[in-house]
Amino acid sequence: MSEKRSQFPLPLSSVTGGSTRKPAAPAPVATPQTATQNARQNSQVQPRGGAAASVPGTTRPAQPQQTVVRSDLAATEAPRRAMAARAARQGVKDPQVLAALEIVPRHMFVEPGMLAQAYVDISLPIGHNQTISQPYIVARMIELLKGSNQPLRRVLEIGTGCGYQAAVLSCVAQEVYSIERIKPLHELAKANLRPLRIANLRLQYGDGMLGLPQVAPFDGIILAAAGLEVPRALLEQMAIGAHLVAPVGAQVQHLQRITRKGKAEWTSETLEACHFVPLRPGIA
Ligand code: SAH
């Protein structure tokens, strides 16, 4: 595990000491408001700021005063390993993606009442009618995003939600940008990610259907919400050779992988069936 960790830019090994934000054992109550409450509580923690340069219009999860005790991570190591092993049995092959699943503490992204299910291969509610994605699909989509593009330099995620997939992405890409349209979820993701001190991740509140033109082109774009088609602006923000992975459809959805072949040429593959929350325009 320690050799695996060293190949990532994500210094999760630095998550040490301090008080526990979430208990290791399941807490009794979860309501749709819990995510918002968590965000509010955590926003009261004074940020210490960060050393990495910021990009105009984006915010970086600030560093914590409160952090998670190592025992939380140690106690969840076995279920995390089991989760990665299950994804491998389901067909995920990329060792870097599987190692990222082993590293990122998913229990820090679920509501306190859902801790017992944090390492079960299911999506879970995060408030505002949104969900944290199923671990398998996170791994599968990131594997598709990478394809043979090594290394993955600059990646854009549409739909930060609670921030879990963004954290996984930050293990496999050099720079990650993630956009969320629901303000309390953008705040929740910031609060969830703060203790992890991920230097190569930037969060943005806004409409991801517009992409992030000030940072484009991207070597990979991943959508965590399903539209009837992939927004044109995102296609335009792909680097030549880049992949975009998105769920596409309404009731029936499939993963689509689009590859930019040239200035005005894209190819598309339709892959497995999936189920995601809808991609919506504008901000909320
Ligand atoms: N990435 C998350 C999954 C979040 S669910 C994870 O790690 O599990 C999908 C998210 O996409 C929701 O939070 C929803 O609000 C967001 N979303 C939908 N349309 C969007 C848009 N146009 N721009 C940005 N985010 C959007």
Side-chain angles (χ1 to χ4, degrees), residues 146-166:
K146 284 181 71 184
S148 53
N149 292 347
Q150 306 279 359
L152 213 43
R153 219 172 56 81
R154 183 175 297 171
V155 166
L156 175 65
E157 178 193 39
I158 312 304
T160 317
C162 60
Y164 173 68
Q165 179 168 269

Side-chain angles (χ1 to χ4, degrees), residues 129-276:
N129 296 321
Q130 307 302 322
T131 54
I132 177 173
S133 302
Q134 179 197 1
Y136 162 74
I137 203 80
V138 168
R140 172 77 178 130
M141 287 176 80
I142 296 177
E143 182 174 66
L144 287 167
L145 187 76
K146 284 181 71 184
S148 53
N149 292 347
Q150 306 279 359
L152 213 43
R153 219 172 56 81
R154 183 175 297 171
V155 166
L156 175 65
E157 178 193 39
I158 312 304
T160 317
C162 60
Y164 173 68
Q165 179 168 269
V168 177
L169 280 168
S170 74
C171 297
V172 305
Q174 286 169 13
E175 288 171 44
V176 179
Y177 297 83
S178 181
I179 311 178
E180 173 56 53
R181 67 180 288 277
I182 299 178
K183 184 79 173 187
L185 289 180
H186 168 71
E187 296 299 334
L188 173 72
K190 274 204 280 189
N192 287 341
L193 288 160
R194 189 177 290 131
L196 299 178
R197 291 183 256 176
I198 302 174
N200 61 335
L201 171 58
R202 302 287 186 281
L203 302 183
Q204 167 83 36
Y205 167 57
D207 179 1
M209 291 173 77
L210 308 175
L212 214 48
Q214 69 270 35
V215 183
F218 294 97
D219 301 312
I221 301 182
I222 192 162
L223 283 81
L228 293 180
E229 55 183 19
V230 173
R232 181 84 206 174
L234 299 182
L235 298 178
E236 297 290 353
Q237 290 175 31
M238 295 168 70
I240 309 289
H243 297 303
L244 176 151
V245 180
V248 176
Q251 304 298 350
V252 179
Q253 302 171 3
H254 285 90
L255 286 185
Q256 208 171 74
R257 178 163 74 169
I258 294 173
T259 306
R260 188 169 194 175
K261 296 286 189 186
K263 199 166 165 13
E265 190 191 350
W266 291 262
T267 57
S268 170
E269 304 156 75
T270 298
L271 305 159
E272 67 211 63
C274 57
H275 188 71
F276 278 81

